[in-house]
Every structure is written in C-alpha cells, then in structure tokens.
Amino acid sequence: MLAVYAASQSKDDPLSGLEIGERPDREPRPGWTTVTLKTAGLNHHDLFSLQGVGLPADRLPMILGCDGAGIDEDGNEVIVHAVVPSEGWQGDETLDPRRTLLSELHDGTLAQKVLVPRANAVPKPAGLSWEHAATLSTAWLTAYRMLFSNSGLTPGATVLVQGAGGGVATALVQLGSATGYRMWVTSRDEAKGQKALEIGADRAFASGERLPERVDAVMETVGAATWSHSVKSLKPGGTIVICGATSGDAPPKAELTQIFFRQLRVIGSTMGTRLELERLAQFVVQQGIEPAIDSVMPLEQARDGFAKMASGELFGKVVFTVS
Ligand SMILES: NC(=O)c1ccc[n+]([C@@H]2O[C@H](COP(=O)([O-])OP(=O)(O)OC[C@H]3O[C@@H](n4cnc5c(N)ncnc54)[C@H](OP(=O)(O)O)[C@@H]3O)[C@@H](O)[C@H]2O)c1
C-alpha cells in the first residue's frame, strides 16, 4: 500500500528522512481492525518524529500520522483514535505510562490502511465531512481536553492562546469561542492574528505584546519562546494549561517566583480519551464548527504539507486525501 514514512531522522533537515512509497499491509490481529482511510491529517508530532523526537531510530521505517478517518472492516465510517493503551490497561488511556500514539510503536495513518485496536475506531457522526473528520484525533482532541477537562474554566472567562496559526491553537480558538470563552491570541505573524479573528478570536496581539488586562488562563503549545509572557499575562490564581513546547522546553526563565507568589497553576495536558474524542466529534457537528484547514492535498503530495509545517507558514490543519 502507499504510505508516508520515516526512513531516517535528522534534527536539522527532517524532510531528508521522509519517504512516500510502498509499505507492506499489516497482518490482522485479534481485537484489532483495519481502517481503509479516506483522509488523514498532519501534526507537528509527525515533524518531531522525523527529527528523532519521541520515535527511537530502531523502530524505523515507521509510517507516520496520528489523524485519520475511513471505513473499518465492518463497513462503519470511523475516526481513528490515536492513543493506543498497553495490553490490559483499564481507565483513562492518557494516564497509561506505557501508552503510545499511532506512529510511535504501531504504524500510523498516513497510508491507505491502518491497523488499530477495535476500540480506537470511533463512530464518525453523519454530517461531519471526511476532511473535517481527519483534523480531530490529535490537535483538536488535545485542545478539547485542555479547555474542557483541564482548565477549570467556565464560560465568560478570558483565555490567551499562544501562537495563532497552529493546529492546536486554531482548535482552541474555535472550540473556546463556540463555548462562550473570550479567546485572545498572539502570533509572530499579523496576518495569522487577523485570520484568528475570522474564526472566532476576540483580540489578536503580536507575540510578547503586553495585554490590556490579565487573563484567566493561557493555553501553551509554544514553550520556551512564550513561557515568560504566559506567566506574566495571568491574573493571580490563573492557570496555564500546557500541551507542547514547539520552540523548546527550556525557557530562559522558569518564572518560579511569579508562579508561587501569584499562586498560578500549571497543568500538563496530553491528547484525550476515546470518550472525549466521541464528544468532540458530536460537539463540532452540533455547533456547526468547521475546523480551520490550511490545505487539502493528495497523500502522494504529502511532502508539500510537511514543508509548509516545517516553515511555520500554516494556518490550521493540513489534510491529505487517500485514494
Ligand atoms: N501533548 C499532546 O498530546 C500534544 C498534542 C498535540 C500537539 N502537541 C504539541 O503542541 C505543539 C503544537 O502542535 P501543532 O500540531 O498545533 O503544531 P503546528 O500546527 O506546527 O503549530 C505550531 C505553532 O507554534 C507557534 N509558534 C509561535 N512561536 C513559535 C516559535 N518561536 N517557534 C515555533 N513555533 C512557534 C505557531 O504560531 P504562529 O505561527 O501563529 O506564531 C503555531 O501556533 C507541538 O509542540 C506538538 O508536539 C502536543
């Protein structure tokens, strides 16, 4: 089958290890189902895998991709849940210390087919397009858990999202504004700030700009480059929910004094559960949310999508169509 896979890894030139070509179909496994993909989505995780972050070199070649939607072996339209718990794990799979994401241990979704545990094939609601279904499993699920399970916020709160253009960031803005939060964004690029206003943000600021007032919560995915600004932008007792550190995980200042003196809360957040993915999909359909998509391209042209992400030019998600 056609697949997009990591053949080698390079921190400085991640695209050098990207291959698009034939890979063998996976052998069926009891309790698992093969999903024939219609669409698949790109995440920063895929770029990190090519850079050697989170994917040990001895597991190569590895088919990339965490997001996808298609038809399972029984003919059901499904969204693929990317969090694979270890054998026998009970409860919240994101808390399983031995969980993996598709493309870390098991082949991922940037292919014509993907083999997943049956429980990871989540019903796709009627009314959700294949393109939109391919955006939900990772960035959108992560944004859902950050906002609704981990932030402790109630509607009316003001929330700052660092970095307007990313997949998680655009999901946060769209989910938050649909829920009645006042969503503010920062961006390195004024044009992306403007686009964030079009999808529901209330105000857009330049990265690092002083805000007109402090906020109730900050959603962090950028890490080192924005950490100090996030801490300084919070009201006393406010919350940072952090799910990523795209610009690095060692900020020049940890801001520990600010954190304890103003009694800030720092909450880590990773992916979401199968139930949260089901609810996210329902919520998107109920609210008529159309996830921001930067571009749709055939899987054969996946290299263009990776190059766009590597250059930081994206606004929203890259979706691949699979034939
Ligand atoms: N823990 C989890 O489960 C989980 C799940 C999903 C994602 N993540 C992590 O969250 C992060 C974002 O993922 P994504 O897929 O949304 O990535 P993406 O689409 O490539 O977005 C990158 C984001 O980083 C922002 N950014 C701002 N300053 C930056 C800087 N100095 N260097 C690089 N980027 C900067 C960009 O905003 P502007 O261009 O607008 O400034 C953009 O919002 C990644 O680190 C990813 O690994 C974690």
Side-chain angles (χ1 to χ4, degrees):
M1 63 174 176
L2 182 74
V4 175
Y5 60 97
S8 62
Q9 295 166 316
S10 163
K11 189 174 178 309
D12 299 325
D13 184 13
L15 268 67
S16 63
L18 183 71
E19 297 283 345
I20 302 172
E22 287 295 311
R23 295 292 304 152
D25 284 13
R26 289 289 153 208
E27 291 296 314
R29 276 177 74 165
W32 291 52
T33 186
T34 297
V35 176
T36 302
L37 292 151
K38 295 262 190 199
T39 49
L42 182 66
N43 288 286
H44 213 96
H45 184 272
D46 303 309
L47 206 53
F48 279 143
S49 298
L50 288 166
Q51 290 179 308
V53 179
L55 176 62
D58 61 9
R59 293 188 190 157
L60 303 184
M62 177 67 79
I63 300 177
L64 298 169
C66 300
D67 292 357
I71 312 280
D72 73 7
E73 283 170 13
D74 302 319
N76 304 306
E77 296 191 349
V78 297
I79 302 171
V80 173
H81 179 37
V83 184
V84 182
S86 57
E87 201 76 29
W89 175 262
Q90 304 278 325
D92 181 337
E93 60 271 30
T94 66
L95 298 177
D96 175 1
R98 290 171 57 225
R99 69 164 194 281
T100 57
L101 298 190
L102 290 174
S103 80
E104 291 177 352
L105 180 61
H106 308 288
D107 276 331
T109 54
L110 301 189
Q112 287 173 311
K113 291 177 194 165
V114 64
L115 183 68
V116 296
R118 276 190 185 278
N120 285 51
V122 172
K124 178 179 88 65
L128 186 65
S129 73
W130 287 113
E131 279 78 10
H132 288 150
T135 65
L136 298 186
S137 307
T138 302
W140 275 72
L141 178 61
T142 301
Y144 182 95
R145 187 173 175 97
M146 290 171 83
L147 274 179
F148 303 134
S149 308
N150 283 333
S151 74
L153 294 171
T154 48
T158 302
V159 183
L160 179 69
V161 177
Q162 296 284 16
V168 179
T170 48
L172 286 163
V173 168
Q174 291 188 269
L175 289 172
S177 67
T179 311
Y181 301 143
R182 188 164 65 146
M183 302 304 293
W184 290 2
V185 298
T186 68
S187 182
R188 300 168 293 176
D189 177 357
E190 203 182 330
K192 290 189 197 174
Q194 285 304 313
K195 284 187 184 170
L197 298 178
E198 289 164 21
I199 62 165
D202 183 68
R203 302 275 306 262
F205 303 91
S207 295
E209 188 179 333
R210 191 189 174 95
L211 304 180
E213 61 187 77
R214 286 182 161 155
V215 299
D216 298 295
V218 181
M219 300 293 129
E220 254 296 352
T221 65
V222 180
T226 50
W227 183 252
S228 282
H229 184 256
S230 294
V231 172
K232 287 175 188 151
S233 298
L234 278 176
K235 288 178 185 166
T239 304
I240 297 178
V241 185
I242 177 163
C243 81
T246 309
S247 62
D249 71 354
K253 280 187 78 179
E255 307 289 2
L256 297 180
T257 304
Q258 289 277 340
I259 289 171
F260 71 72
F261 192 67
R262 291 196 293 116
Q263 302 192 71
L264 307 180
R265 300 189 312 143
V266 177
I267 311 281
S269 197
T270 279
M271 297 295 286
T273 63
R274 180 191 201 278
L275 179 62
E276 286 168 325
L277 179 57
E278 273 182 33
R279 290 194 175 158
L280 164 65
Q282 286 300 343
F283 184 71
V284 163
V285 172
Q286 262 166 28
Q287 296 296 311
I289 298 171
E290 300 205 343
I293 291 181
D294 178 275
S295 33
V296 180
M297 57 188 76
L299 188 65
E300 290 83 347
Q301 289 169 23
R303 183 174 293 277
D304 296 344
F306 276 82
K308 253 190 148 184
M309 179 166 275
S311 70
E313 282 169 18
L314 294 179
F315 187 85
K317 301 291 297 173
V318 172
V319 172
F320 302 121
T321 51
V322 188
S323 51

